[in-house]
Amino acid sequence: MDIAYIPSPSTGVIHLGPIPLRGYAFCIIIGVFVAVWLGNKRWIARGGKPGTVADIAVWAVPFGLVGGRLYHVITDYQLYFGEGRNWVDAFKIWEGGLGIWGAIALGAVGAWIGCRLRGIPLPAWADALAPGIALAQACGRWGNWFNQELYGRATDLPWAVEISAGPNRDAGTYHPTFLYESLWCIGVAFLVIWADRRFKLGHGRAFALYVAAYCVGRGWIEYMRVDEAHHILGVRLNVWTSIVVFVLAVVYFVLSAKLRPGREEVVEPDAPGGKDGKGTSEVEAGKAEDKTDGTAESESGSVPKDSLPTRAPRADAEVREGAVKADLRKPAVDAEAPEADKA
């Protein structure tokens, strides 16, 4: 009896004349666009300038791709430098093989360079981009579906993925661990967005929450995978990596909350933004310039001094009349008094 399953594409590439269009690359590109789009919206809401996220992503994305590939090649070196292997394949990134740990680590270096050039704090930029990165991973995991890789143990569940026979794999239906991780990353993105709105996370804590939450899901999903991997004490290397990175993220979150509570008031010095991403109001700006621009502060904001109400003419007349009467009441001055003094 036939069972339900998720069919896999017969090929991961479509040739448009001499140009190959690869599903794996498309998934990564879509993920990058989603991350930049959402990160830009969050950055503007924090008081940053439009386009800053994309400008820094120009540095972060290439570094991330190189870092992700390096991590994969180093941890699975036998696939490229073992007996009968061709080391040139290590450069064929379109065939799959990107380690998220290396992508985040080296991507952070690229982002740091971009942030330094723009004069903005890296933690604030990372907080804005955190849920977008999770959604980018959710999109990128579907590239593994095109390449028929990263599947789990054999199963006959209705959502099993069909895998065809190929090098180092047998035909059958398996747990779609790529799908599990994709759904988990979507959940992580929504978790970070909710927590950031609820608790006003700042100074890199939204990013730390993303890292910690992702590691939790990656740990148990990694146990289900059956592809070849290095083991330490009988546990897959990526499980150990998840544990270590999770602990580091939690420690950073706790220490950051104690040492630097709250959220950055200014994330981009030359932007018109202000506190909590709501922008510095004209009223607040007027108060700061009260002594230099001739404005006076009122309960409703800054008001030009020239527009303040003046003393009524009638009141001024009464004051002058009172002064005249006071002068008339003064005793006359004896003009001869000075001469008497001389005697």
Side-chain angles (χ1 to χ4, degrees):
M1 181 179 65
D2 294 335
I3 61 174
Y5 57 80
I6 301 173
S8 291
S10 57
T11 179
V13 57
I14 300 176
H15 290 274
L16 186 61
I19 303 176
L21 304 177
R22 302 182 183 278
Y24 187 84
F26 269 114
C27 291
I28 294 177
I29 293 173
I30 292 173
V32 170
F33 273 103
V34 170
V36 172
W37 170 77
L38 181 57
N40 184 65
K41 290 177 65 67
R42 287 171 52 80
W43 183 253
I44 294 174
R46 290 285 302 274
K49 295 168 61 177
T52 297
V53 169
D55 291 342
I56 298 175
V58 170
W59 289 90
V61 172
F63 274 74
L65 291 175
V66 173
R69 188 61 175 177
L70 282 175
Y71 180 90
H72 168 73
V73 172
I74 292 173
T75 57
D76 290 307
Y77 62 87
Q78 73 282 354
L79 300 177
Y80 307 99
F81 303 102
E83 184 178 355
R85 301 289 184 172
N86 186 358
W87 63 272
V88 178
D89 293 340
F91 297 94
K92 298 179 180 179
I93 191 173
W94 55 85
E95 293 183 354
L98 289 174
I100 185 61
W101 316 112
I104 294 296
L106 205 55
V109 174
W112 176 79
I113 295 174
C115 287
R116 290 278 294 181
L117 294 175
R118 294 296 296 265
I120 64 177
L122 175 61
W125 185 85
D127 282 342
L129 206 66
I133 295 176
L135 292 179
Q137 290 178 249
C139 296
R141 275 309 179 198
W142 283 91
N144 304 129
W145 176 60
F146 281 99
N147 288 351
Q148 297 194 37
E149 57 188 1
L150 299 190
Y151 49 86
R153 296 184 295 271
T155 182
D156 58 357
L157 291 172
W159 56 84
V161 62
E162 180 191 28
I163 300 296
S164 59
N168 302 321
R169 71 184 187 214
D170 298 324
T173 56
Y174 300 85
H175 277 283
T177 52
F178 76 89
L179 175 61
Y180 299 160
E181 187 168 336
S182 179
L183 295 176
W184 181 266
C185 288
I186 293 175
V188 170
F190 281 104
L191 170 66
V192 174
I193 292 174
W194 170 81
D196 194 26
R197 290 178 177 176
R198 175 65 176 82
F199 302 105
K200 302 296 183 184
L201 302 177
H203 301 287
R205 289 190 289 277
F207 185 81
L209 175 62
Y210 144 71
V211 172
Y214 171 74
C215 289
V216 172
R218 179 63 183 268
W220 70 265
I221 292 172
E222 194 72 24
Y223 269 114
M224 304 178 65
R225 290 172 54 174
V226 294
D227 54 309
E228 185 178 357
H230 291 287
H231 289 71
I232 300 176
L233 300 178
V235 179
R236 291 171 68 96
L237 174 62
N238 280 330
V239 175
W240 285 111
T241 305
S242 298
I243 295 173
V244 172
V245 175
F246 171 81
V247 172
L248 293 176
V250 172
V251 170
Y252 177 88
F253 189 98
V254 174
L255 292 180
S256 176
K258 291 182 178 180
L259 299 177
R260 307 186 70 182
R263 174 186 281 182
E264 300 92 339
E265 294 186 357
V266 178
V267 296
E268 195 164 1
D270 59 344
K275 300 179 180 180
D276 297 331
K278 297 180 180 180
T280 302
S281 67
E282 296 180 358
V283 173
E284 293 175 344
K287 292 178 182 178
E289 300 176 359
D290 180 46
K291 295 182 180 180
T292 59
D293 64 0
T295 60
E297 182 179 345
S298 67
E299 293 181 355
S300 59
S302 297
V303 180
K305 290 182 178 179
D306 295 340
S307 65
L308 291 175
T310 58
R311 183 180 297 172
R314 180 177 180 181
D316 289 342
E318 292 176 356
V319 171
R320 288 195 297 268
E321 182 180 355
V324 172
K325 291 180 180 180
D327 290 339
L328 293 176
R329 288 196 297 268
K330 290 181 179 180
V333 178
D334 188 358
E336 300 298 330
E339 297 295 329
D341 291 341
K342 291 180 181 179

